[in-house]
Amino acid sequence: MRVTITSLKGGVGKTVSSIHIAACLAMRGKTALIDGDMNQSSLDWARAGDGLPFEVVAIADARKYLTSHKPDHIVVDTAAAPSDDSLKILARDTDLLILPTKPDAISLRALIKTIKILKDAKANNFKVLLTMVSPSRKVGEMATESLSNQGIPIFKNQIRLYSAYEIAATNGCLVHQARDSNGRKVSNSGIAWSDYLAVGNEL
Ligand SMILES: Nc1ncnc2c1ncn2[C@@H]1O[C@H](COP(=O)(O)OP(=O)(O)O)[C@@H](O)[C@H]1O
Ligand SMILES: [Mg+2]
């Protein structure tokens, strides 16, 4: 399966989602994460630690890597704000385009613009993923209901907001492996991972 994670807006959880969705797919087969962002956030994440369960490959090396390694699953992390044309190309070249968004009004407006571009291009292979949802879930559930009522495809499961992700990024590991400076498991890291596992099961 090929999954591409994109958004017009930055800071919505594309890289965190790419890393953890790739980890979900890696449980089913050989997986590669292609880092299509010039900031190389996914590559930096991988370099900070000692072993994610999948390979992270720079976009410049992707063609060669994919030809020689032939992974079963590919996840593409992208830069924010792709042009209309590159958004259409991303949709054309993937099985599923995941659009992460925070549930706030500004992010949702940017999401609606993205969806309009995709619909104008007759691309229907996209699905919205709510990220950084307050753990009470109320805002997330309201956003899910509102988007579903507009006929927008959306993951049933949402990604809640937990500081464990910041620690995982620093450690270069998956969220449930995050450890504090005393080597202790970070609180809620298991719950955080269960959110991505649930989303992975929807793929
Ligand atoms: N579910 C979450 N809970 C808490 N912090 C998060 C979550 N998802 C992302 N973050 C944090 O938000 C920031 C932006 O996330 P990132 O994945 O880098 O977004 P993008 O790739 O869309 O720019 C990072 O500091 C990241 O650690
Ligand atoms: Mg990113």
Side-chain angles (χ1 to χ4, degrees):
M1 173 177 215
R2 185 173 176 130
V3 176
T4 300
I5 305 194
T6 195
S7 67
L8 290 186
K9 219 174 157 306
V12 295
K14 285 185 297 297
T15 296
V16 167
S17 297
S18 299
I19 294 279
H20 291 88
I21 286 171
C24 292
L25 291 171
M27 295 190 292
R28 300 187 206 162
K30 191 160 128 187
T31 300
L33 197 174
I34 310 296
D35 192 342
D37 187 356
M38 266 174 22
N39 290 319
Q40 302 209 325
S41 313
S42 286
L43 276 163
D44 285 344
W45 192 309
R47 286 180 193 131
D50 54 6
L52 293 170
F54 49 85
E55 215 50 63
V56 183
V57 184
I59 189 96
D61 305 327
R63 192 185 296 269
K64 201 171 153 210
Y65 179 89
L66 296 177
T67 312
S68 56
H69 290 76
K70 298 191 172 50
D72 303 306
H73 305 295
I74 302 168
V75 176
V76 184
D77 182 14
T78 67
S83 66
D84 290 15
D85 281 344
S86 38
L87 192 58
K88 288 173 199 163
I89 292 167
L90 290 175
R92 194 194 60 200
D93 290 348
T94 197
D95 297 318
L96 178 65
L97 200 62
I98 297 182
L99 306 174
T101 180
K102 294 198 248 178
D104 63 87
I106 295 172
S107 303
L108 290 173
R109 282 186 203 123
L111 172 77
I112 299 296
K113 283 185 196 140
T114 313
I115 291 174
K116 187 171 183 310
I117 297 165
L118 290 169
K119 287 207 161 150
D120 287 350
K122 304 211 168 6
N124 291 312
N125 55 337
F126 63 87
K127 207 165 177 179
V128 172
L129 176 63
L130 281 187
T131 57
M132 294 185 243
V133 175
S134 123
S136 80
R137 280 208 172 130
K138 200 154 186 177
V139 176
E141 273 158 19
M142 277 167 57
T144 302
E145 199 183 313
S146 150
L147 292 170
S148 312
N149 288 344
Q150 295 172 62
I152 294 169
I154 180 162
F155 283 94
K156 288 191 194 73
N157 291 283
Q158 306 156 4
I159 306 302
R160 285 168 287 180
L161 181 88
Y162 289 115
S163 55
Y165 289 105
E166 297 287 352
I167 299 168
T170 306
N171 294 353
C173 64
L174 300 174
V175 70
H176 59 293
Q177 298 161 337
R179 294 282 182 273
D180 65 18
S181 50
N182 296 316
R184 276 194 294 262
K185 204 171 153 76
V186 173
S187 63
N188 293 323
S189 57
I191 301 178
W193 174 229
S194 74
D195 285 350
Y196 275 107
L197 280 176
V199 166
N201 286 335
E202 287 189 59
L203 288 176

